[in-house]
Amino acid sequence: MRRVADTIGLHPGRADRHPDGAGPDPGTEPTLPDAEHVVAECVALAATRADDPQLPVLVARYWRLVSDEDLLGRSPRSMVAATVSHRELARQRQRGELRLTVEPATDNGHTTIEIVTDDMPFLVDSVTAALTARGLDVRLRVHPVFVVRRTGLGRFEQLRLDAEPADA
C-alpha cells in the first residue's frame, strides 16, 4: 500500500552571526551547510535513541533530497524532531484520509504545515502555490515519500524504509 508523507514548512533562514554577535557581516553571504554532513549528524543523533532503532534510517531517507540552502539554520535536533513529529501524524490514517497539522508561528517566526495523504500528484505544488498566492514565503519544503503498510482500520503497521515507492 503506497502512502505519501508531504511536509511543507515555512521556516526563516538563519544568517551567520558576526563574531561579536551583532548579526551577519554586512555584504557577506551566509555559509551554506553541507547537506550530506548535516543529515549524517542527524542520523548520529537519532541513533542515540535506543528505543527507536528504525529512526536513523528514517531520518536519512526523510532529509535525503533537501538541498544545502534549505538546511541553512537548521539544527540536527530540530530536524530529528520534525521527522518524529511527521511520523507520529502518520501513525493512524484511513485510506483516502488527509492528515494535516498546522503549527502557528512561534517566537522564531515560522509556521509549519505537515501533510500525510495517499500519493497525489501535484499536491505539494498546489499547496505551495496556494501559500504563495496568499503572500506567504515557503522557506523549506521537504517531500519524503514512503511505503507504509496499515491495518484495515488504518493503524500504522510497518514503514518500509527498504522500499522505493516506485517499486511498491
Side-chain angles (χ1 to χ4, degrees), residues 1-4 89-99 116-120 148-156:
M1 201 179 285
R2 281 181 73 184
R3 296 290 183 249
V4 173
L89 179 64
R91 287 235 183 253
Q92 177 67 42
R93 190 183 72 76
Q94 292 288 327
R95 183 180 198 124
E97 177 186 8
L98 170 74
R99 297 290 315 265
V116 179
T117 187
D118 294 332
D119 193 6
M120 293 182 175
V148 175
R149 186 178 344 187
R150 297 182 179 281
T151 66
L153 297 175
R155 192 182 90 247
F156 190 84

Side-chain angles (χ1 to χ4, degrees), residues 39-87:
V39 171
E41 287 182 42
C42 293
V43 169
L45 179 61
T48 65
R49 294 181 57 173
D51 63 325
D52 197 347
Q54 195 178 40
L55 186 59
V57 178
L58 174 62
V59 166
R61 296 268 328 267
Y62 190 94
W63 293 97
R64 69 183 174 159
L65 301 177
V66 178
S67 70
D68 295 348
E69 294 83 7
D70 287 337
L71 293 181
L72 184 64
R74 314 252 178 275
S75 71
R77 176 170 288 170
S78 70
M79 292 168 64
V80 171
T83 305
V84 170
S85 172
H86 208 173
R87 180 181 60 184

Side-chain angles (χ1 to χ4, degrees), residues 28-40:
T28 62
E29 292 292 319
T31 304
L32 292 179
D34 175 353
E36 191 172 316
H37 178 73
V38 173
V39 171

